[in-house]
């Protein structure tokens, strides 16, 4: 087996990090928001924002899976349509919204998300209050009660 000359190893070592950094293509950034509103309120409001308020064409929508695909148009793109998506996920911690416009700078995503937050408050008022945690069961002994002194 032939060994690479030290200069070739050095060149490879210097080129590898650059190739890894550049080889990822265009990373699609997204912005996210934890919605204090219900899934149904958030999804319906996002749909109205995209279709009615902004006039974008809905390419696909799936309420059961919580996503909207649409054609995003911006004066910066010369009116050319680019693909956009809004994902709405109902989890244990609440409703999470993610906006992606891979072909546009990230601030476009943020502007769209800010519009959704504003529209949610305008349409639904203050977010619903979270229920306080239940008090400990009455008559229950503290965790260390009954333990022998130590």
């Amino acid at each position: 087996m032939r060994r690479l000359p030290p200069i070739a190893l050095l060149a490879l070592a210097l080129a590898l990090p650059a190739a890894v950094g550049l080889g990822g293509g265009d990373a699609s950034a997204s912005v996210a928001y934890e919605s204090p509103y219900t899934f149904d309120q958030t999804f319906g409001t996002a749909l109205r924002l995209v279709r009615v308020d902004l006039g974008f064409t809905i390419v696909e929508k799936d309420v059961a899976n919580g996503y909207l695909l649409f054609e995003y148009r911006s004066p910066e793109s010369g009116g050319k349509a680019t693909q956009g998506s809004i994902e709405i996920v109902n989890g244990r911690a609440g409703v999470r919204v993610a906006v992606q416009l891979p072909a546009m700078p990230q601030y476009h995503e943020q502007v769209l998300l800010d519009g959704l937050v504003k529209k949610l408050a305008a349409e639904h008022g203050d977010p619903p209050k979270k229920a306080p945690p239940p008090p400990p069961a009455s008559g229950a002994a503290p965790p260390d009660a009954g333990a022998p002194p130590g």
Side-chain angles (χ1 to χ4, degrees), residues 14-105:
L14 292 174
L16 188 60
V20 169
L22 296 176
D26 65 334
S28 78
S30 72
V31 294
Y33 166 67
E34 298 294 329
S35 175
Y37 298 92
T38 67
F39 176 87
D40 291 335
Q41 289 172 319
T42 305
F43 189 90
T45 302
L47 180 60
R48 286 187 298 280
L49 173 73
V50 170
R51 181 65 194 118
V52 178
D53 296 354
L54 300 173
F56 298 150
T57 301
I58 301 290
V59 175
E60 186 175 343
K61 70 177 177 179
D62 188 338
V63 178
N65 291 309
Y67 70 86
L68 297 169
L69 301 179
F70 56 94
E71 292 180 352
Y72 179 79
R73 295 184 188 275
S74 165
E76 290 181 25
S77 63
K80 178 182 171 231
T82 61
Q83 297 302 307
S85 70
I86 297 178
E87 288 181 84
I88 301 163
V89 179
N90 200 12
R92 285 184 300 234
V95 177
R96 181 168 166 74
V97 180
V99 177
Q100 291 187 326
L101 299 168
M104 301 302 291

Side-chain angles (χ1 to χ4, degrees), residues 82-143:
T82 61
Q83 297 302 307
S85 70
I86 297 178
E87 288 181 84
I88 301 163
V89 179
N90 200 12
R92 285 184 300 234
V95 177
R96 181 168 166 74
V97 180
V99 177
Q100 291 187 326
L101 299 168
M104 301 302 291
Q106 186 174 4
Y107 72 87
H108 286 261
E109 297 166 337
Q110 189 64 54
V111 167
L112 197 57
L113 188 60
D114 291 347
L116 176 59
V117 171
K118 192 175 189 179
K119 187 169 181 65
L120 279 164
E123 287 187 0
H124 303 290
D126 291 333
K129 302 283 186 220
K130 296 211 181 239
S138 62

